[in-house]
Protein backbone atom coordinates (compact mmCIF):
# COMPACT_ATOMS: atom_id res chain seq x y z
CA UNK A 1 0.00 0.00 0.00
CA UNK A 2 2.78 2.44 0.86
CA UNK A 3 4.48 1.68 -2.43
CA UNK A 4 1.24 2.48 -4.24
CA UNK A 5 0.90 5.91 -2.64
CA UNK A 6 4.52 6.78 -3.25
CA UNK A 7 3.36 7.03 -6.87
CA UNK A 8 0.14 8.92 -6.07
CA UNK A 9 0.97 11.39 -8.81
CA UNK A 10 0.90 8.64 -11.42
CA UNK A 11 -2.30 7.25 -9.91
CA UNK A 12 -3.90 10.69 -10.17
CA UNK A 13 -2.80 11.04 -13.80
CA UNK A 14 -4.37 7.67 -14.59
CA UNK A 15 -7.63 8.77 -13.01
CA UNK A 16 -7.53 11.98 -15.07
CA UNK A 17 -7.19 9.97 -18.27
CA UNK A 18 -10.00 7.65 -17.18
CA UNK A 19 -12.28 10.61 -16.55
CA UNK A 20 -11.57 11.98 -20.03
CA UNK A 21 -12.80 8.72 -21.56
CA UNK A 22 -16.19 8.84 -19.82
CA UNK A 23 -19.03 9.68 -22.23
CA UNK A 24 -21.79 12.00 -21.08
CA UNK A 25 -21.32 15.33 -19.32
CA UNK A 26 -23.29 14.24 -16.24
CA UNK A 27 -21.02 11.28 -15.58
CA UNK A 28 -17.94 13.40 -16.27
CA UNK A 29 -19.13 15.99 -13.75
CA UNK A 30 -19.63 13.33 -11.08
CA UNK A 31 -16.26 11.75 -11.85
CA UNK A 32 -14.73 15.23 -11.78
CA UNK A 33 -15.81 15.64 -8.17
CA UNK A 34 -14.01 12.41 -7.35
CA UNK A 35 -10.95 13.54 -9.25
CA UNK A 36 -10.96 16.72 -7.17
CA UNK A 37 -10.71 14.64 -4.00
CA UNK A 38 -7.88 12.60 -5.50
CA UNK A 39 -6.21 15.87 -6.51
CA UNK A 40 -6.25 17.07 -2.90
CA UNK A 41 -4.64 13.83 -1.74
CA UNK A 42 -2.00 13.67 -4.47
CA UNK A 43 -1.10 17.36 -4.16
CA UNK A 44 -0.95 17.10 -0.39
CA UNK A 45 1.41 14.16 -0.70
CA UNK A 46 3.61 16.14 -3.10
CA UNK A 47 3.58 19.28 -0.97
CA UNK A 48 4.29 17.43 2.28
CA UNK A 49 7.05 15.23 0.92
CA UNK A 50 8.94 12.89 3.21
CA UNK A 51 8.64 15.29 6.13
CA UNK A 52 4.86 14.84 6.36
CA UNK A 53 3.52 13.19 9.51
CA UNK A 54 1.67 9.89 9.63
CA UNK A 55 -1.75 11.48 10.13
CA UNK A 56 -1.27 13.88 7.22
CA UNK A 57 -0.15 11.03 4.97
CA UNK A 58 -3.11 8.88 6.02
CA UNK A 59 -5.57 11.66 5.18
CA UNK A 60 -3.98 12.08 1.75
CA UNK A 61 -4.17 8.35 1.10
CA UNK A 62 -7.84 8.30 2.13
CA UNK A 63 -8.62 11.18 -0.24
CA UNK A 64 -6.87 9.46 -3.14
CA UNK A 65 -8.71 6.19 -2.41
CA UNK A 66 -12.10 7.87 -2.07
CA UNK A 67 -11.66 10.01 -5.15
CA UNK A 68 -10.31 7.10 -7.16
CA UNK A 69 -13.29 4.97 -6.18
CA UNK A 70 -15.73 7.67 -7.31
CA UNK A 71 -13.95 8.07 -10.66
CA UNK A 72 -13.67 4.32 -11.24
CA UNK A 73 -17.27 3.49 -10.34
CA UNK A 74 -18.61 6.39 -12.38
CA UNK A 75 -16.48 5.30 -15.34
CA UNK A 76 -17.74 1.72 -15.11
CA UNK A 77 -21.38 2.82 -14.96
CA UNK A 78 -20.91 5.47 -17.63
CA UNK A 79 -19.13 3.19 -20.07
CA UNK A 80 -21.81 0.54 -19.64
CA UNK A 81 -24.50 2.97 -20.68
CA UNK A 82 -25.08 3.58 -24.35
CA UNK A 83 -23.74 7.02 -25.18
CA UNK A 84 -26.21 9.36 -26.90
CA UNK A 85 -25.83 9.37 -30.65
CA UNK A 86 -26.15 13.10 -31.01
CA UNK A 87 -24.97 16.01 -28.94
CA UNK A 88 -27.40 18.39 -27.38
CA UNK A 89 -28.44 21.00 -29.95
CA UNK A 90 -26.66 24.26 -29.33
CA UNK A 91 -27.29 27.81 -30.32
CA UNK A 92 -26.08 28.44 -33.84
CA UNK A 93 -22.88 30.43 -33.99
CA UNK A 94 -22.15 33.18 -36.41
CA UNK A 95 -19.71 32.68 -39.24
CA UNK A 96 -16.35 31.36 -37.97
CA UNK A 97 -14.04 34.12 -36.83
CA UNK A 98 -10.45 34.28 -35.76
CA UNK A 99 -8.79 36.01 -32.81
CA UNK A 100 -8.15 39.70 -33.30
CA UNK A 101 -4.63 40.06 -34.75
CA UNK A 102 -4.15 43.17 -32.60
CA UNK A 103 -4.87 41.07 -29.50
CA UNK A 104 -2.53 38.28 -30.62
CA UNK A 105 0.20 40.81 -31.40
CA UNK A 106 -0.19 42.41 -27.99
CA UNK A 107 -0.09 39.09 -26.13
CA UNK A 108 2.93 37.88 -28.11
CA UNK A 109 4.79 41.15 -27.49
CA UNK A 110 3.99 41.10 -23.78
CA UNK A 111 5.09 37.46 -23.48
CA UNK A 112 8.41 37.90 -25.31
CA UNK A 113 9.32 41.56 -24.75
CA UNK A 114 12.84 41.98 -23.32
CA UNK A 115 12.11 45.46 -21.91
CA UNK A 116 9.41 46.88 -19.66
CA UNK A 117 8.44 49.54 -22.19
CA UNK A 118 7.82 46.91 -24.86
CA UNK A 119 5.75 44.87 -22.41
CA UNK A 120 3.67 47.97 -21.73
CA UNK A 121 3.21 48.44 -25.48
CA UNK A 122 1.91 44.87 -25.70
CA UNK A 123 -0.56 45.62 -22.90
CA UNK A 124 -1.77 48.71 -24.75
CA UNK A 125 -2.37 46.65 -27.89
CA UNK A 126 -4.39 44.14 -25.89
CA UNK A 127 -6.50 46.92 -24.39
CA UNK A 128 -7.05 48.38 -27.85
CA UNK A 129 -8.45 45.03 -28.95
CA UNK A 130 -10.80 44.93 -25.94
CA UNK A 131 -11.99 48.46 -26.69
CA UNK A 132 -12.67 47.61 -30.32
CA UNK A 133 -14.64 44.52 -29.36
CA UNK A 134 -16.77 46.39 -26.83
CA UNK A 135 -17.45 49.33 -29.15
CA UNK A 136 -19.01 46.95 -31.65
CA UNK A 137 -21.78 46.28 -29.09
CA UNK A 138 -23.46 49.38 -27.70
CA UNK A 139 -24.80 47.57 -24.61
CA UNK A 140 -21.29 46.67 -23.42
CA UNK A 141 -19.51 50.00 -23.76
CA UNK A 142 -19.95 50.90 -20.10
CA UNK A 143 -18.12 47.72 -19.11
CA UNK A 144 -14.94 49.07 -20.67
CA UNK A 145 -14.26 50.84 -17.38
CA UNK A 146 -13.18 47.54 -15.78
CA UNK A 147 -10.36 46.49 -18.16
CA UNK A 148 -9.35 50.13 -18.65
CA UNK A 149 -9.00 50.57 -14.89
CA UNK A 150 -6.97 47.37 -14.74
CA UNK A 151 -4.76 48.58 -17.56
CA UNK A 152 -4.31 51.96 -15.89
CA UNK A 153 -3.25 50.37 -12.59
CA UNK A 154 -0.84 48.00 -14.31
CA UNK A 155 0.48 50.83 -16.49
CA UNK A 156 1.21 52.98 -13.44
CA UNK A 157 3.04 50.02 -11.91
CA UNK A 158 5.15 49.56 -15.03
CA UNK A 159 6.00 53.28 -15.15
CA UNK A 160 7.07 53.16 -11.50
CA UNK A 161 9.24 50.13 -12.17
CA UNK A 162 10.96 51.89 -15.06
CA UNK A 163 11.44 54.96 -12.85
CA UNK A 164 13.01 52.90 -10.05
CA UNK A 165 15.41 50.90 -12.21
CA UNK A 166 16.06 53.73 -14.67
CA UNK A 167 15.49 53.76 -18.43
CA UNK A 168 18.72 51.86 -19.05
CA UNK A 169 17.87 49.16 -16.51
CA UNK A 170 14.42 48.22 -17.71
CA UNK A 171 15.50 44.80 -18.93
CA UNK A 172 12.99 42.23 -17.67
CA UNK A 173 15.73 39.64 -17.26
CA UNK A 174 17.51 41.94 -14.81
CA UNK A 175 14.48 42.83 -12.68
CA UNK A 176 15.15 40.18 -9.97
CA UNK A 177 18.33 42.13 -9.13
CA UNK A 178 16.52 45.46 -9.25
CA UNK A 179 16.69 47.92 -6.35
CA UNK A 180 13.14 47.43 -5.06
CA UNK A 181 12.72 48.28 -1.38
CA UNK A 182 10.02 46.48 0.68
CA UNK A 183 7.63 49.49 0.52
CA UNK A 184 8.20 49.73 -3.24
CA UNK A 185 7.48 46.02 -3.64
CA UNK A 186 4.23 46.32 -1.72
CA UNK A 187 3.09 49.28 -3.84
CA UNK A 188 4.08 47.67 -7.14
CA UNK A 189 2.39 44.35 -6.34
CA UNK A 190 -0.75 46.20 -5.28
CA UNK A 191 -0.85 47.99 -8.65
CA UNK A 192 0.18 45.09 -10.86
CA UNK A 193 -1.82 42.50 -8.91
CA UNK A 194 -5.03 44.53 -8.82
CA UNK A 195 -4.54 45.39 -12.49
CA UNK A 196 -4.12 41.73 -13.43
CA UNK A 197 -7.29 40.70 -11.58
CA UNK A 198 -9.30 43.38 -13.38
CA UNK A 199 -7.78 42.53 -16.75
CA UNK A 200 -8.38 38.79 -16.42
CA UNK A 201 -12.15 39.05 -16.90
CA UNK A 202 -12.95 36.60 -14.08
CA UNK A 203 -16.18 36.85 -12.07
CA UNK A 204 -17.59 39.20 -10.99
CA UNK A 205 -15.62 41.36 -13.45
CA UNK A 206 -16.74 39.37 -16.47
CA UNK A 207 -18.75 40.52 -19.44
CA UNK A 208 -18.67 39.66 -23.12
CA UNK A 209 -16.85 41.35 -24.66
CA UNK A 210 -14.05 41.33 -23.58
CA UNK A 211 -14.68 38.18 -21.51
CA UNK A 212 -11.47 36.28 -20.84
CA UNK A 213 -9.67 37.73 -23.85
CA UNK A 214 -7.11 39.56 -21.67
CA UNK A 215 -6.59 36.70 -19.19
CA UNK A 216 -3.23 35.70 -20.75
CA UNK A 217 -2.06 39.29 -20.30
CA UNK A 218 -2.92 39.14 -16.60
CA UNK A 219 -0.95 35.90 -16.27
CA UNK A 220 2.03 37.41 -18.11
CA UNK A 221 2.15 40.33 -15.67
CA UNK A 222 2.22 37.93 -12.75
CA UNK A 223 4.68 35.43 -14.24
CA UNK A 224 7.17 37.87 -15.77
CA UNK A 225 7.11 40.71 -13.24
CA UNK A 226 5.52 39.96 -9.87
CA UNK A 227 6.78 36.44 -9.20
CA UNK A 228 10.46 36.84 -10.10
CA UNK A 229 11.04 40.51 -9.24
CA UNK A 230 8.69 41.29 -6.34
CA UNK A 231 8.49 38.19 -4.12
CA UNK A 232 8.30 40.17 -0.88
CA UNK A 233 5.36 42.24 -2.05
CA UNK A 234 3.66 39.13 -3.39
CA UNK A 235 3.80 37.52 0.05
CA UNK A 236 2.30 40.65 1.61
CA UNK A 237 -0.72 40.70 -0.71
CA UNK A 238 -1.03 36.94 -1.21
CA UNK A 239 -3.73 36.19 1.42
CA UNK A 240 -6.06 38.91 0.15
CA UNK A 241 -5.52 37.99 -3.50
CA UNK A 242 -6.11 34.28 -2.83
CA UNK A 243 -9.30 35.11 -0.92
CA UNK A 244 -10.58 37.20 -3.83
CA UNK A 245 -9.72 34.38 -6.24
CA UNK A 246 -11.60 31.92 -4.02
CA UNK A 247 -14.72 34.08 -4.21
CA UNK A 248 -14.28 34.47 -7.96
CA UNK A 249 -13.80 30.72 -8.37
CA UNK A 250 -17.01 30.06 -6.43
CA UNK A 251 -18.96 32.41 -8.72
CA UNK A 252 -17.45 30.77 -11.79
CA UNK A 253 -17.99 27.17 -10.64
CA UNK A 254 -21.57 27.55 -9.44
CA UNK A 255 -22.34 29.62 -12.51
CA UNK A 256 -21.09 26.84 -14.79
CA UNK A 257 -18.27 28.98 -16.23
CA UNK A 258 -15.53 26.37 -16.14
CA UNK A 259 -13.29 28.26 -18.53
CA UNK A 260 -13.24 31.13 -16.04
CA UNK A 261 -12.66 28.65 -13.20
CA UNK A 262 -9.55 27.36 -15.02
CA UNK A 263 -8.27 30.94 -15.32
CA UNK A 264 -8.95 31.55 -11.61
CA UNK A 265 -7.06 28.38 -10.69
CA UNK A 266 -4.14 29.40 -12.89
CA UNK A 267 -3.95 32.86 -11.34
CA UNK A 268 -4.11 31.29 -7.88
CA UNK A 269 -1.11 29.16 -8.84
CA UNK A 270 0.81 32.28 -9.87
CA UNK A 271 -0.14 34.08 -6.66
CA UNK A 272 1.24 31.13 -4.68
CA UNK A 273 4.70 32.40 -5.65
CA UNK A 274 5.98 28.85 -6.20
CA UNK A 275 8.24 28.64 -9.24
CA UNK A 276 7.41 24.93 -9.62
CA UNK A 277 3.75 25.83 -10.21
CA UNK A 278 4.30 28.70 -12.67
CA UNK A 279 4.29 26.76 -15.95
CA UNK A 280 1.27 24.64 -15.03
CA UNK A 281 -0.56 27.78 -13.87
CA UNK A 282 0.07 29.41 -17.25
CA UNK A 283 -1.28 26.26 -18.93
CA UNK A 284 -4.51 26.56 -16.93
CA UNK A 285 -4.94 30.22 -17.90
CA UNK A 286 -4.24 29.47 -21.55
CA UNK A 287 -6.66 26.52 -21.49
CA UNK A 288 -9.44 28.69 -20.08
CA UNK A 289 -8.72 31.40 -22.65
CA UNK A 290 -8.72 28.97 -25.58
CA UNK A 291 -11.87 27.31 -24.29
CA UNK A 292 -13.79 30.56 -24.30
CA UNK A 293 -12.35 31.55 -27.66
CA UNK A 294 -13.47 28.23 -29.15
CA UNK A 295 -16.94 28.41 -27.55
CA UNK A 296 -17.39 31.89 -29.05
CA UNK A 297 -16.36 30.70 -32.50
CA UNK A 298 -13.19 32.82 -32.55
CA UNK A 299 -10.79 29.99 -33.39
CA UNK A 300 -12.02 29.54 -36.91
CA UNK A 301 -14.00 26.54 -38.19
CA UNK A 302 -12.93 24.15 -35.42
CA UNK A 303 -14.90 20.92 -35.49
CA UNK A 304 -16.15 19.51 -32.21
CA UNK A 305 -14.81 16.17 -31.12
CA UNK A 306 -17.17 13.19 -31.45
CA UNK A 307 -19.34 12.69 -28.37
CA UNK A 308 -17.35 9.61 -27.42
CA UNK A 309 -14.12 11.64 -27.12
CA UNK A 310 -15.54 14.98 -25.98
CA UNK A 311 -13.82 14.72 -22.60
CA UNK A 312 -10.26 14.37 -23.91
CA UNK A 313 -9.44 18.10 -23.60
CA UNK A 314 -10.00 17.78 -19.86
CA UNK A 315 -6.73 15.88 -19.54
CA UNK A 316 -4.81 19.15 -19.97
CA UNK A 317 -6.26 21.09 -17.00
CA UNK A 318 -6.43 17.95 -14.87
CA UNK A 319 -2.70 17.31 -15.24
CA UNK A 320 -1.81 20.98 -14.77
CA UNK A 321 -3.89 21.18 -11.60
CA UNK A 322 -1.56 18.84 -9.66
CA UNK A 323 1.58 21.06 -9.54
CA UNK A 324 -0.58 24.18 -9.19
CA UNK A 325 -2.36 22.84 -6.11
CA UNK A 326 0.88 21.49 -4.66
CA UNK A 327 2.32 25.00 -4.90
CA UNK A 328 -0.80 26.47 -3.36
CA UNK A 329 -0.63 24.06 -0.42
CA UNK A 330 2.92 25.23 0.32
CA UNK A 331 1.79 28.86 0.56
CA UNK A 332 -1.92 29.12 1.45
CA UNK A 333 -3.27 25.76 2.60
CA UNK A 334 -6.79 26.72 3.69
CA UNK A 335 -7.62 28.93 0.72
CA UNK A 336 -6.18 26.44 -1.79
CA UNK A 337 -8.16 23.56 -0.31
CA UNK A 338 -11.28 25.72 -0.22
CA UNK A 339 -10.91 26.54 -3.93
CA UNK A 340 -10.72 22.86 -4.86
CA UNK A 341 -13.57 22.00 -2.49
CA UNK A 342 -15.69 24.67 -4.16
CA UNK A 343 -15.12 23.06 -7.53
CA UNK A 344 -15.93 19.60 -6.14
CA UNK A 345 -19.23 20.75 -4.61
CA UNK A 346 -20.20 22.62 -7.79
CA UNK A 347 -19.56 19.48 -9.86
CA UNK A 348 -21.72 17.38 -7.53
CA UNK A 349 -24.55 19.90 -7.87
CA UNK A 350 -24.13 19.93 -11.64
CA UNK A 351 -24.27 16.13 -11.83
CA UNK A 352 -27.38 16.10 -9.62
CA UNK A 353 -29.34 18.56 -11.74
CA UNK A 354 -28.26 17.45 -15.20
CA UNK A 355 -29.87 14.87 -17.41
CA UNK A 356 -27.44 12.57 -19.17
CA UNK A 357 -26.66 14.44 -22.35
CA UNK A 358 -23.50 15.11 -24.22
CA UNK A 359 -22.12 18.64 -24.21
CA UNK A 360 -18.74 20.22 -24.45
CA UNK A 361 -16.98 19.16 -21.25
CA UNK A 362 -17.22 21.57 -18.32
CA UNK A 363 -17.51 24.68 -20.49
Amino acid sequence: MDALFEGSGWLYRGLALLLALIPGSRDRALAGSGLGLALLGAAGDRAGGHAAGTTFTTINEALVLLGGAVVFLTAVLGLRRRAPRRAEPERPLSAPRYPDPVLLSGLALAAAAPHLLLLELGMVLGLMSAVRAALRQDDHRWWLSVPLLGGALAGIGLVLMVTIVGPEGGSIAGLPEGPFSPPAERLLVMLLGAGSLLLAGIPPFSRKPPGLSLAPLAAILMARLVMPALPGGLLEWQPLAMLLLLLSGALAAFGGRWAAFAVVAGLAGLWSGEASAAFAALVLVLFGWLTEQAASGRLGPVRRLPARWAGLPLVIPALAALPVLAGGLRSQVVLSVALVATGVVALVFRAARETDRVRAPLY
Side-chain angles (χ1 to χ4, degrees):
M1 183 65 71
D2 291 339
L4 173 64
F5 284 101
E6 285 178 0
S8 59
W10 290 105
L11 179 59
Y12 170 79
R13 295 182 185 97
L15 292 173
L17 180 59
L18 181 60
L19 177 146
L21 298 177
I22 297 176
S25 62
R26 180 177 181 273
D27 289 331
R28 280 197 298 271
L30 183 57
S33 65
L35 188 67
L37 296 176
L39 171 63
L40 283 172
D45 181 64
R46 174 178 288 195
H50 297 291
T54 304
T55 303
F56 183 73
T57 302
T58 302
I59 293 174
N60 291 333
E61 292 176 356
L63 287 172
V64 174
L65 277 177
L66 178 60
V70 172
V71 175
F72 181 77
L73 292 176
T74 305
V76 171
L77 295 176
L79 292 172
R80 290 182 63 181
R81 297 192 189 104
R82 177 177 296 180
R85 294 183 179 180
R86 293 187 302 175
E88 179 192 29
E90 300 179 358
R91 293 178 300 174
L93 296 174
S94 57
R97 296 167 291 165
Y98 295 90
D100 188 349
V102 176
L103 173 63
L104 294 181
S105 300
L107 295 179
L109 183 59
H115 197 279
L116 284 172
L117 294 178
L118 291 177
L119 191 153
E120 189 163 11
L121 176 60
M123 184 178 68
V124 171
L125 290 176
L127 287 170
M128 287 176 55
S129 172
V131 169
R132 288 175 52 186
L135 290 180
R136 295 191 187 103
Q137 301 188 25
D138 293 336
D139 55 338
H140 287 90
R141 291 185 179 183
W142 65 273
W143 195 250
L144 278 174
S145 59
V146 174
L148 289 178
L149 176 59
L153 292 175
I156 294 172
L158 289 171
V159 170
L160 287 177
M161 291 186 80
V162 173
T163 303
I164 292 173
V165 299
E168 297 181 359
S171 171
I172 295 178
L175 288 179
E177 289 79 35
F180 301 113
S181 65
E185 285 198 29
R186 288 194 291 270
L187 176 60
L188 290 172
V189 172
M190 181 187 71
L191 294 170
L192 295 173
S196 69
L197 293 177
L198 293 174
L199 287 170
I202 54 179
F205 307 113
S206 53
R207 289 294 185 277
K208 292 184 178 180
L212 299 174
S213 62
L214 297 179
L217 179 60
I220 290 169
L221 292 175
M222 290 297 302
R224 300 200 68 193
L225 301 181
V226 176
M227 285 184 67
L230 308 167
L234 185 147
L235 290 176
E236 291 282 347
W237 291 103
Q238 186 184 81
L240 177 59
M242 294 286 281
L243 178 60
L244 294 176
L245 288 170
L246 171 61
L247 298 177
S248 179
L251 291 174
F254 287 101
R257 294 194 59 202
W258 294 102
F261 188 82
V263 171
V264 169
L267 291 177
L270 294 173
W271 271 101
S272 73
E274 294 287 334
S276 60
F279 177 76
L282 292 173
V283 169
L284 282 176
V285 173
L286 185 61
F287 179 84
W289 178 71
L290 288 173
T291 295
E292 188 188 69
Q293 294 284 314
S296 302
R298 292 195 293 268
L299 292 185
V302 177
R303 296 176 61 92
R304 293 189 181 276
L305 291 172
R308 187 71 178 80
W309 309 108
L312 282 180
L314 293 178
V315 174
I316 298 172
L319 296 181
L322 181 56
V324 167
L325 181 58
L329 292 178
R330 296 188 186 103
S331 57
Q332 292 289 330
V333 177
V334 175
L335 294 175
S336 298
V337 171
L339 181 60
V340 177
T342 298
V344 170
V345 174
L347 286 171
V348 172
F349 283 165
R350 171 174 174 168
R353 70 173 178 260
E354 268 198 0
T355 57
D356 193 8
R357 58 182 181 266
V358 176
R359 297 195 306 181
L362 302 185
Y363 302 168

PDB file of all heavy atoms in Angstrom, residues 61 163 309:
ATOM      1  N   GLU A  61      -3.886   9.662   1.683  1.00  0.00           N
ATOM      2  CA  GLU A  61      -4.171   8.349   1.103  1.00  0.00           C
ATOM      3  C   GLU A  61      -5.676   8.082   1.049  1.00  0.00           C
ATOM      4  O   GLU A  61      -6.190   7.544   0.061  1.00  0.00           O
ATOM      5  CB  GLU A  61      -3.466   7.269   1.920  1.00  0.00           C
ATOM      6  CG  GLU A  61      -1.945   7.309   1.812  1.00  0.00           C
ATOM      7  CD  GLU A  61      -1.283   6.284   2.703  1.00  0.00           C
ATOM      8  OE1 GLU A  61      -2.016   5.604   3.466  1.00  0.00           O
ATOM      9  OE2 GLU A  61      -0.045   6.144   2.647  1.00  0.00           O
ATOM     10  N   THR A 163      10.868  53.830 -13.579  1.00  0.00           N
ATOM     11  CA  THR A 163      11.439  54.962 -12.848  1.00  0.00           C
ATOM     12  C   THR A 163      12.455  54.498 -11.807  1.00  0.00           C
ATOM     13  O   THR A 163      13.520  55.105 -11.637  1.00  0.00           O
ATOM     14  CB  THR A 163      10.320  55.764 -12.165  1.00  0.00           C
ATOM     15  OG1 THR A 163       9.384  56.196 -13.156  1.00  0.00           O
ATOM     16  CG2 THR A 163      10.892  56.970 -11.439  1.00  0.00           C
ATOM     17  N   TRP A 309     -15.430  11.132 -27.527  1.00  0.00           N
ATOM     18  CA  TRP A 309     -14.124  11.643 -27.122  1.00  0.00           C
ATOM     19  C   TRP A 309     -14.199  13.089 -26.654  1.00  0.00           C
ATOM     20  O   TRP A 309     -13.182  13.774 -26.590  1.00  0.00           O
ATOM     21  CB  TRP A 309     -13.134  11.534 -28.286  1.00  0.00           C
ATOM     22  CG  TRP A 309     -13.099  10.174 -28.903  1.00  0.00           C
ATOM     23  CD1 TRP A 309     -13.588   9.815 -30.120  1.00  0.00           C
ATOM     24  CD2 TRP A 309     -12.553   8.993 -28.320  1.00  0.00           C
ATOM     25  NE1 TRP A 309     -13.396   8.478 -30.335  1.00  0.00           N
ATOM     26  CE2 TRP A 309     -12.749   7.936 -29.248  1.00  0.00           C
ATOM     27  CE3 TRP A 309     -11.921   8.704 -27.096  1.00  0.00           C
ATOM     28  CZ2 TRP A 309     -12.347   6.639 -28.998  1.00  0.00           C
ATOM     29  CZ3 TRP A 309     -11.508   7.402 -26.844  1.00  0.00           C
ATOM     30  CH2 TRP A 309     -11.721   6.396 -27.778  1.00  0.00           C
TER      31      TRP A 309
END
